[in-house]
Coordinates of all heavy atoms in Angstrom, one line a residue:
A1 N -61.9 24.0 7.7 CA -61.8 22.8 6.9 C -62.5 21.5 7.4 O -62.6 20.5 6.8 CB -60.3 22.4 6.5
L2 N -63.1 21.7 8.6 CA -63.7 20.6 9.2 C -64.9 20.0 8.5 O -65.8 20.6 8.4 CB -64.1 20.8 10.8 CG -64.5 19.6 11.6 CD1 -63.2 18.7 11.9 CD2 -65.1 20.1 12.9
K3 N -64.9 18.7 8.1 CA -65.9 18.0 7.3 C -66.6 17.1 8.2 O -67.8 16.8 8.0 CB -65.3 17.2 6.1 CG -64.6 18.3 5.1 CD -64.0 17.5 3.9 CE -63.5 18.4 2.9 NZ -62.8 17.7 1.8
V4 N -66.1 16.5 9.1 CA -66.6 15.3 9.8 C -66.5 15.6 11.3 O -65.4 15.7 11.8 CB -66.1 13.9 9.5 CG1 -66.8 12.8 10.4 CG2 -66.1 13.7 8.1
L5 N -67.5 15.7 12.1 CA -67.6 15.8 13.5 C -68.5 14.6 14.1 O -69.6 14.5 13.9 CB -68.2 17.1 13.9 CG -68.6 17.4 15.5 CD1 -67.2 17.4 16.2 CD2 -69.3 18.7 15.7
S6 N -67.7 13.8 15.0 CA -68.3 12.7 15.5 C -68.3 12.7 17.0 O -67.3 12.8 17.6 CB -67.6 11.4 15.0 OG -68.4 10.2 15.3
V7 N -69.7 12.7 17.6 CA -69.8 12.8 18.9 C -70.7 11.7 19.5 O -71.6 11.9 20.3 CB -70.2 14.2 19.4 CG1 -69.8 14.5 20.9 CG2 -69.6 15.4 18.6
E8 N -70.4 10.5 19.0 CA -71.3 9.4 19.4 C -70.9 8.8 20.8 O -69.8 9.1 21.3 CB -71.1 8.2 18.4 CG -71.5 8.6 16.9 CD -71.2 7.5 16.0 OE1 -70.7 6.5 16.5 OE2 -71.8 7.5 14.9
R9 N -72.0 8.3 21.5 CA -71.7 7.7 22.8 C -71.2 8.7 23.8 O -70.2 8.5 24.5 CB -70.8 6.4 22.7 CG -71.3 5.4 21.7 CD -70.6 4.1 21.8 NE -69.2 4.4 21.8 CZ -68.4 4.5 20.7 NH1 -69.1 4.6 19.6 NH2 -67.1 4.6 20.8
N10 N -71.9 9.9 23.9 CA -71.6 10.8 24.9 C -72.9 11.1 25.8 O -73.8 10.4 25.7 CB -71.0 12.0 24.3 CG -69.6 11.9 24.0 OD1 -68.6 12.1 24.9 ND2 -69.2 11.5 22.7
N11 N -72.8 12.2 26.5 CA -74.0 12.6 27.4 C -74.7 13.9 26.8 O -75.1 14.7 27.6 CB -73.5 12.9 28.7 CG -72.9 11.6 29.4 OD1 -73.3 10.5 29.0 ND2 -71.9 11.6 30.2
L12 N -74.6 14.2 25.6 CA -75.4 15.4 25.1 C -76.8 15.3 25.2 O -77.5 14.2 24.8 CB -75.0 15.5 23.6 CG -73.6 16.0 23.3 CD1 -73.4 16.0 21.7 CD2 -73.1 17.2 23.8
N13 N -77.6 16.3 25.6 CA -79.0 16.3 25.7 C -79.6 17.3 24.8 O -80.8 17.3 24.7 CB -79.5 16.4 27.1 CG -78.9 17.7 27.8 OD1 -78.7 18.8 27.1 ND2 -78.9 17.8 29.1
T14 N -78.8 18.0 24.0 CA -79.2 18.9 23.0 C -78.2 18.8 21.9 O -77.0 18.4 22.1 CB -79.4 20.4 23.5 OG1 -78.0 20.9 23.9 CG2 -80.4 20.6 24.6
V15 N -78.6 19.2 20.7 CA -77.7 19.5 19.5 C -76.8 20.5 19.9 O -77.3 21.7 20.3 CB -78.4 19.6 18.1 CG1 -77.4 19.9 17.1 CG2 -79.3 18.4 17.9
P16 N -75.5 20.5 19.8 CA -74.5 21.6 20.1 C -75.0 22.9 19.2 O -75.2 22.7 18.1 CB -73.2 21.1 19.7 CG -73.3 19.6 19.8 CD -74.8 19.2 19.4
K17 N -75.0 24.0 19.9 CA -75.3 25.3 19.2 C -74.2 25.7 18.5 O -73.1 25.8 19.0 CB -75.9 26.3 20.3 CG -77.0 25.8 21.1 CD -78.3 25.3 20.4 CE -79.3 24.9 21.2 NZ -80.5 24.3 20.4
G18 N -74.4 26.3 17.3 CA -73.3 26.9 16.5 C -72.7 25.9 15.5 O -71.5 26.4 15.0
L19 N -73.3 24.9 15.1 CA -72.8 24.0 14.1 C -72.6 24.8 12.8 O -71.7 24.5 12.0 CB -73.7 22.9 13.9 CG -73.8 21.8 14.9 CD1 -74.8 20.7 14.6 CD2 -72.3 21.1 15.0
G20 N -73.5 25.8 12.6 CA -73.3 26.6 11.4 C -71.9 27.4 11.2 O -71.6 27.8 10.1
L21 N -71.3 27.5 12.3 CA -70.1 28.2 12.2 C -68.9 27.4 11.7 O -67.9 27.9 11.2 CB -69.5 28.6 13.7 CG -70.3 29.6 14.4 CD1 -69.9 29.8 15.8 CD2 -70.2 31.0 13.8
L22 N -69.2 26.0 11.6 CA -68.2 25.1 10.9 C -68.6 25.1 9.4 O -69.4 24.2 9.0 CB -68.3 23.7 11.5 CG -68.1 23.6 13.0 CD1 -68.4 22.3 13.8 CD2 -66.5 24.0 13.3
Q23 N -68.1 25.9 8.6 CA -68.6 26.2 7.3 C -68.4 25.1 6.2 O -69.0 25.1 5.3 CB -68.1 27.5 6.8 CG -68.4 28.7 7.6 CD -67.9 30.1 7.1 OE1 -67.2 30.1 6.3 NE2 -68.2 31.1 7.8
S24 N -67.5 24.2 6.6 CA -67.3 23.1 5.6 C -67.8 21.7 6.1 O -67.7 20.7 5.5 CB -65.7 22.9 5.6 OG -65.1 24.0 4.9
L25 N -68.5 21.8 7.3 CA -69.2 20.7 7.9 C -70.0 19.8 6.9 O -71.1 20.4 6.5 CB -69.8 20.8 9.2 CG -70.3 19.7 10.1 CD1 -69.0 19.0 10.6 CD2 -71.0 20.3 11.3
Q26 N -69.8 18.5 6.7 CA -70.6 17.7 5.8 C -71.2 16.5 6.6 O -72.2 16.1 6.1 CB -69.7 17.1 4.6 CG -69.0 18.1 3.8 CD -68.1 17.6 2.7 OE1 -68.2 16.3 2.5 NE2 -67.6 18.4 1.9
T27 N -70.7 16.1 7.6 CA -71.2 14.9 8.4 C -71.2 15.1 9.9 O -70.2 15.6 10.4 CB -70.4 13.6 8.1 OG1 -70.2 13.4 6.7 CG2 -70.6 12.5 8.8
V28 N -72.4 14.8 10.5 CA -72.5 15.0 12.0 C -72.9 13.7 12.5 O -74.1 13.2 12.2 CB -73.3 16.1 12.4 CG1 -73.5 16.1 13.9 CG2 -72.8 17.4 12.0
H29 N -72.2 13.0 13.3 CA -72.6 11.8 14.0 C -72.8 12.0 15.6 O -71.8 12.3 16.2 CB -71.5 10.7 13.8 CG -71.5 10.2 12.3 ND1 -70.4 9.4 11.9 CD2 -72.5 10.3 11.4 CE1 -70.7 9.1 10.7 NE2 -71.8 9.7 10.3
M30 N -74.0 11.8 15.9 CA -74.4 12.1 17.4 C -75.2 11.1 17.9 O -76.1 11.2 18.8 CB -75.1 13.5 17.5 CG -74.2 14.7 17.3 SD -75.1 16.3 17.4 CE -76.1 16.4 16.0
S31 N -75.0 9.9 17.5 CA -75.9 8.7 17.9 C -75.5 8.4 19.3 O -74.4 8.7 19.8 CB -75.7 7.5 17.0 OG -74.3 7.0 17.1
S32 N -76.4 7.7 20.0 CA -76.2 7.3 21.4 C -75.9 8.3 22.3 O -74.8 8.3 23.1 CB -75.1 6.1 21.4 OG -75.6 5.0 20.5
N33 N -76.6 9.3 22.3 CA -76.6 10.4 23.4 C -77.9 10.5 24.0 O -78.6 9.5 24.1 CB -76.3 11.7 22.7 CG -74.8 11.9 22.3 OD1 -74.0 12.3 23.3 ND2 -74.3 11.6 21.2
A34 N -78.3 11.6 24.6 CA -79.5 11.8 25.3 C -80.3 12.9 24.7 O -81.0 13.7 25.4 CB -79.5 11.9 26.8
I35 N -80.2 13.3 23.5 CA -80.9 14.4 22.7 C -82.4 14.2 22.8 O -82.8 13.1 22.4 CB -80.3 14.6 21.4 CG1 -78.8 14.9 21.4 CG2 -81.1 15.7 20.7 CD1 -78.2 14.9 20.1
Q36 N -83.1 15.3 23.2 CA -84.5 15.0 23.5 C -85.3 15.6 22.3 O -86.5 15.2 22.0 CB -85.0 15.7 24.8 CG -84.2 15.0 25.9 CD -84.5 15.5 27.2 OE1 -85.5 16.3 27.4 NE2 -83.7 15.4 28.2
Q37 N -84.8 16.6 21.7 CA -85.7 17.2 20.5 C -84.6 18.1 19.6 O -83.5 18.4 20.0 CB -86.6 18.2 21.2 CG -86.1 19.5 21.9 CD -87.1 20.4 22.2 OE1 -88.1 20.0 23.0 NE2 -87.1 21.7 22.0
I38 N -85.2 18.3 18.3 CA -84.4 19.0 17.4 C -85.2 20.4 17.1 O -86.4 20.3 16.6 CB -84.3 18.3 16.0 CG1 -83.9 16.8 16.3 CG2 -83.5 18.9 15.1 CD1 -82.5 16.8 16.9
D39 N -84.6 21.4 17.3 CA -85.1 22.7 17.2 C -84.8 23.4 15.9 O -83.9 22.9 15.1 CB -84.5 23.6 18.2 CG -84.9 23.3 19.7 OD1 -86.1 22.7 19.9 OD2 -84.1 23.4 20.7
P40 N -85.5 24.4 15.4 CA -85.4 24.8 14.0 C -84.1 25.5 13.8 O -83.7 25.5 12.6 CB -86.6 25.9 14.0 CG -86.9 26.3 15.4 CD -86.7 25.0 16.1
K41 N -83.3 25.9 14.8 CA -82.1 26.5 14.5 C -80.9 25.6 14.9 O -79.6 26.0 14.6 CB -81.9 27.8 15.5 CG -82.9 28.9 15.0 CD -82.6 30.1 15.9 CE -83.6 31.2 15.4 NZ -83.4 32.5 16.3
D42 N -81.1 24.4 15.1 CA -80.0 23.5 15.5 C -79.0 23.2 14.3 O -77.9 23.1 14.5 CB -80.6 22.2 15.9 CG -81.1 22.1 17.4 OD1 -80.8 23.2 18.1 OD2 -81.7 21.2 17.8
F43 N -79.6 23.2 13.1 CA -78.8 23.0 11.9 C -78.7 24.2 10.9 O -78.5 24.1 9.8 CB -79.2 21.8 11.2 CG -79.0 20.5 11.9 CD1 -80.2 19.8 12.5 CD2 -77.8 19.8 12.2 CE1 -80.0 18.7 13.4 CE2 -77.7 18.8 12.9 CZ -78.8 18.2 13.4
Q44 N -79.0 25.4 11.6 CA -79.1 26.6 10.8 C -77.8 26.9 10.3 O -76.7 26.8 10.9 CB -79.6 27.7 11.7 CG -79.8 29.1 10.9 CD -80.5 30.1 11.8 OE1 -80.2 30.2 13.0 NE2 -81.4 31.0 11.3
N45 N -77.7 27.4 8.9 CA -76.5 27.8 8.2 C -75.5 26.6 8.1 O -74.4 26.8 7.5 CB -75.7 28.8 9.1 CG -76.6 30.1 9.2 OD1 -77.3 30.5 8.2 ND2 -76.5 30.8 10.2
C46 N -75.9 25.4 8.2 CA -75.0 24.1 7.9 C -75.3 23.9 6.4 O -75.9 22.9 6.0 CB -75.4 23.0 8.8 SG -75.1 23.3 10.5

């Protein structure tokens, strides 16, 4: 049932793998991290 995942102001350097497993996810907030690139599978199945 998870709709909102907020991980702002942390130390992530990549988009967490497996976001597509959260089948109800509608909102992802990852501002103010250290993410360097967005890969083709980062938001796969979202």
Side-chain angles (χ1 to χ4, degrees):
L2 191 69
K3 296 180 180 179
V4 179
L5 175 62
S6 192
V7 202
E8 299 179 348
R9 304 188 312 280
N10 278 278
N11 296 327
L12 295 174
N13 56 28
T14 61
V15 174
K17 306 304 179 187
L19 287 176
L21 293 171
L22 303 171
Q23 297 180 1
S24 297
L25 192 63
Q26 297 180 6
T27 299
V28 178
H29 288 168
M30 291 182 286
S31 66
S32 301
N33 278 278
I35 297 171
Q36 299 177 20
Q37 65 181 47
I38 308 299
D39 294 329
K41 294 184 178 181
D42 282 346
F43 297 104
Q44 188 176 34
N45 298 323
C46 295

